[in-house]
Amino acid sequence: MSGELVITVAAIGAEVTRETQPSLPLLPEEVAEEYARAYDAGATVAHLHGRRPDGTPTQDRETLRAYSEAIRARCPIVQQFSTGGAVGMNVEERIEALDLRPDMATLTLGTCNFGEDVFENALPTIRTILERIRRHGIVPELEIFDDAMLATADVLFAKGLLAAPAHFDFVLGVPGAAPATAETLVRYARAIPRGCTWSVAGIGRHQTPMAALAIAMGGHVRVGFEDNVFYRKGELAASNAQLVERVVRIAREVGREPATIEEARTMLGVGAA
Ligand code: KMH
Ligand code: ZN
């Protein structure tokens, strides 16, 4: 079975509320505690969204700075800023914190339905985000929500705007985008350019089955409250760390170990903490 497993934890998101998940971290010290516990459990990448103290989503620089510094004081987890933010944010708001030079930033390669909403990533938006990512020397993570985004990836690789090795994240099970099925995951894993790595983020009840498939296939995994607030049907997850711990148990049962922070940084092409 192939190599060490990189586990990304998406502990915050833009849509989950304290009403649906009372343990959702909002303040910098809560966020740092949540990511430090997830790191101790085996996660090596922190996918980060900003929230105001009242829970309102924001990608504002000072919020992300406070989160980033608080996390860094607790653990050397790879820090990955969202540039997706929340539906309806304008592109400048989505990328204003990138001048803090996080290790990584997401780049969604197209527009898709997102439940009742539309997650807008027209080509000019993609180009603007990619230009800012490159300007600051940040490693992109390419977010794929449906088939058309893979076609856009092909175009960007062909034009030399993206190059292997790159890391993809398949976000599967968003209502209105690609379904979280084994068929989709196998097809997507085969479709990306040679030399690239991938992870899967299964939404809601799909989180654990998608993680198990990815582990068996040699891919990597994202879990966390952003994508799923339950531990099992009818039972809320107690913490993001609890979700990471389950992934680590599944991985060890099939002969994979969670990556060390050095292994994760090397695989993703990010420098030392
Ligand atoms: N909140 C979603 C609309 C990302 O972080 O890059 C977009 C999102 C993607 O979460
Ligand atoms: Zn996100």
Side-chain angles (χ1 to χ4, degrees), residues 121-142:
N121 295 283
L123 274 173
T125 302
I126 294 171
R127 279 195 293 267
T128 300
I129 297 172
L130 180 56
E131 187 282 323
R132 197 69 62 90
I133 284 173
R134 290 165 69 121
R135 187 194 304 173
H136 294 302
I138 299 166
V139 174
E141 175 178 278
L142 308 174

Side-chain angles (χ1 to χ4, degrees), residues 10 13-14 47 49 82 85 106 222 226:
H47 174 73
H49 285 253
S82 168
T106 59
R222 176 173 117 175
E226 173 167 345

Side-chain angles (χ1 to χ4, degrees), residues 48-52 57-66 81-86 89-102 104-106 125 128-133 135-136 138:
L48 282 169
H49 285 253
R51 297 291 188 105
R52 300 197 191 286
T58 174
Q59 291 301 112
D60 126 88
R61 183 182 293 106
E62 292 318 309
T63 302
L64 271 298
R65 188 200 306 277
F81 285 9
S82 168
T83 67
M89 283 180 184
N90 68 47
V91 68
E92 272 309 316
E93 183 178 4
R94 287 166 57 175
I95 60 180
E96 74 165 54
L98 294 188
D99 60 2
L100 299 175
R101 298 178 189 264
M104 299 182 78
T106 59
T125 302
T128 300
I129 297 172
L130 180 56
E131 187 282 323
R132 197 69 62 90
I133 284 173
R135 187 194 304 173
H136 294 302
I138 299 166

